[in-house]
Amino acid sequence: PVCSMGNSTSRLYSALAKTLSSSAVSQHQDCLEQPDSAQLDPIDPKDLLEECQIVLQKRPPRFQRNFVDLKKNTASNHRPIRVMQWNILAQALGEGKDNFVQCPMEALKWEERKCLILEEILAYKPDILCLQEVDHYFDTFEPLLSRLGYQCTFFPKPWSPCLDVEQNNGPDGCALFFLKDRFELINSANIRLTAMKLKTNQVAIAQTLKCNETGRLFCIAVTHLKARTGWERFRSAQGCDLLQNLKSITQGAKIPLIICGDFNAEPTEEVYREFSNSSLNLNSAYKLLSPDGQSEPPYTTWKIRPSGECRHTLDYIWYSQHALNVNSALGLLTEEQIGPNRLPSFNYPSDHLSLVCDFSFNQDPDRLL
C-alpha cells in the first residue's frame, strides 16, 4: 500500500511554515470575525507536535513536570476538565521591551519560540486554554488551534505596549480556547476593566460553557491585570470590577466559575484578598500543592532584568470550591530545572510558568435520581 504520510506531513509543515511569516497578519489586523482557518482541514496534534520537534531539534529537550494527584475520596462520574493558564510572553515585548539580560536574543526568535509554546500546549492537551500577552493570535494561534478543534476568542488591550515596538505584530491581549467537541458556548463577554470608574487598558474574557458530557454549565474567565509596583490600588479596583462582572454572569455563583489570570499581584496584595474573600466562594487551585493547602507556590515567574532578579507568584487559577473539585495540578519547575539564567531560555519560551489543573464537578444529589 502507498503511504500518504509524507504528503499530509508536508501539507502540515506548510501550514506551520505559513505562520512563521508575520506578513499574513496585516490582512487580519482589524478583523474581528473568525478568519477562514476554521474551514481548513483538521490537524492531528501528534503530527503538529512532530513538526514542532523538528524545528526545535537543536534546542535542549523540554522540561519534565509531573501532575500531583489531589483527589479526595470523591469519585467523579465524568472525564475531568483540564484547564491551562499561561502568560506566554508577547513576542514584541520579549524582543523589544522586557530586557531579559541573561536570555540570548537567539532564544527569543519567534520561528522557534512559537514551537516551544505549541509543544507545551500539545504536551498537556488542555480542554480549555487561557493565555495572556498573545500578539500572534491571527497568524499563529487561531489558525492552528482552530484546526485542532478549539473555538477561539481574542480580546486585545485597547492600547498595547507592543505597538511601541518597531516591526510589532499588532496589539497583545487575552485569548481563550475551548474544545468544541467537549463544550457548547452559551454566552461570551469581552470585558474592559474599570478602576475608580475609569476604563483601563486591561481586559478579560468570560464565557459560559455547557459541558456536553454532564449538561452542567460553568463559566471560564481569563484576565491580565495592570503590572508594576505602585499600582496595587489600581489592581485592587480592577479585581473588584471583574468580580462584579462575574457575579452578574454567574447569577451570584449559581453557575460554577474558573478564573485564570496573570494578576501581577503577590498573595500579600489586596486584590488577592478580594478574590479569596469574595461572595463567589473562590479558592486558588495551586494552594492545594502546599503541605497545608493554604500557601501559594514560591514563584510562578522568575527572570533577570537590568534592575535585578525578579521571583514572584503572580499567576493563579481560581475556582468555585463549593461546586468544583481539583483532581490534580501540574507541579512547577524546580530552581535547578530553571537554571541560573532564569526565564525565558532555550528550554522554556516564557518568563511565566504554565499552570494546569484537572477539575471535576461536585456530585449534585439531585442529579443522582
Side-chain angles (χ1 to χ4, degrees), residues 60-342:
R62 52 185 300 282
F63 295 122
Q64 286 308 302
R65 296 166 68 186
N66 297 317
F67 280 91
V68 179
D69 188 351
L70 299 166
K71 275 199 291 284
K72 299 173 186 153
N73 296 324
T74 52
S76 167
N77 60 356
H78 67 91
R79 274 190 301 158
I81 296 168
R82 177 162 291 181
V83 176
M84 184 173 189
Q85 146 61 30
W86 200 11
N87 177 333
I88 59 171
L89 174 62
Q91 184 63 21
L93 300 183
E95 287 187 308
K97 282 195 153 199
D98 276 345
N99 295 320
F100 300 117
V101 291
Q102 298 290 92
C103 178
M105 282 306 279
E106 199 185 336
L108 295 170
K109 281 192 332 198
W110 181 241
E111 289 80 1
E112 293 179 10
R113 195 172 80 85
K114 78 155 191 200
C115 288
L116 273 182
I117 295 170
L118 289 166
E119 186 183 42
E120 180 99 340
I121 294 166
L122 291 162
Y124 299 121
K125 306 184 180 99
D127 300 303
I128 299 171
L129 173 63
C130 294
L131 301 180
Q132 299 86 34
E133 290 201 22
V134 179
D135 64 346
H136 274 270
Y137 176 80
F138 291 112
D139 68 344
T140 299
F141 294 104
E142 195 281 339
L144 289 172
L145 290 175
S146 66
R147 294 176 69 188
L148 291 169
Y150 289 92
Q151 183 150 330
C152 314
T153 306
F154 175 62
F155 191 27
K157 290 175 184 162
W159 175 84
S160 164
C162 293
L163 300 175
D164 289 343
V165 178
E166 272 187 59
Q167 295 181 309
N168 66 73
N169 202 60
D172 75 302
C174 291
L176 202 163
F177 308 85
F178 66 84
L179 285 176
K180 290 185 287 190
D181 66 351
R182 288 214 65 185
F183 311 106
E184 180 190 341
L185 179 63
I186 303 300
N187 179 52
S188 185
N190 287 355
I191 303 162
R192 184 172 174 187
L193 298 174
T194 64
M196 299 95 170
K197 299 192 176 169
L198 297 171
K199 288 193 167 163
T200 72
N201 192 39
Q202 279 65 45
V203 299
I205 303 168
Q207 296 189 332
T208 304
L209 304 180
K210 183 167 97 174
C211 173
N212 292 336
E213 191 180 335
T214 63
R216 304 263 305 249
L217 294 182
F218 67 101
C219 176
I220 178 82
V222 54
T223 195
H224 188 186
L225 300 188
K226 172 73 183 161
R228 300 214 166 77
T229 327
W231 290 84
E232 292 80 5
R233 284 187 61 210
F234 196 83
R235 279 191 286 276
S236 171
Q238 288 183 326
C240 281
D241 182 50
L242 180 56
L243 286 168
Q244 280 303 119
N245 275 284
L246 293 173
K247 272 178 202 166
S248 165
I249 289 167
T250 62
Q251 301 160 24
K254 280 189 191 149
I255 297 171
L257 176 61
I258 300 169
I259 309 159
C260 294
D262 174 357
F263 279 62
N264 275 307
E266 290 273 9
T268 48
E269 269 197 39
E270 182 63 35
V271 68
Y272 182 93
R273 288 193 291 279
E274 281 159 7
F275 273 72
S276 293
N277 302 327
S278 157
S279 62
L280 293 171
N281 194 22
L282 300 170
N283 193 18
S284 172
Y286 263 72
K287 276 171 36 177
L288 302 178
L289 288 182
S290 66
D292 61 357
Q294 298 301 311
S295 313
E296 291 290 351
Y299 49 84
T300 62
T301 178
W302 201 340
K303 54 204 151 207
I304 303 172
R305 285 182 164 147
S307 55
E309 196 157 335
C310 313
R311 176 180 178 265
H312 298 294
T313 300
L314 307 177
D315 307 271
Y316 306 96
I317 299 179
W318 296 92
Y319 69 102
S320 302
Q321 55 188 340
H322 61 287
L324 296 164
N325 295 313
V326 184
N327 296 2
S328 61
L330 183 65
L332 298 171
L333 293 177
T334 63
E335 179 175 359
E336 187 181 37
Q337 284 175 310
I338 288 171
N341 294 337
R342 308 315 183 199

Side-chain angles (χ1 to χ4, degrees), residues 13-30:
Y13 190 77
S14 80
L16 188 60
K18 274 180 195 158
T19 75
L20 297 181
S21 147
S22 60
S23 59
V25 79
S26 55
Q27 64 193 342
H28 292 315
Q29 211 67 77
D30 303 311

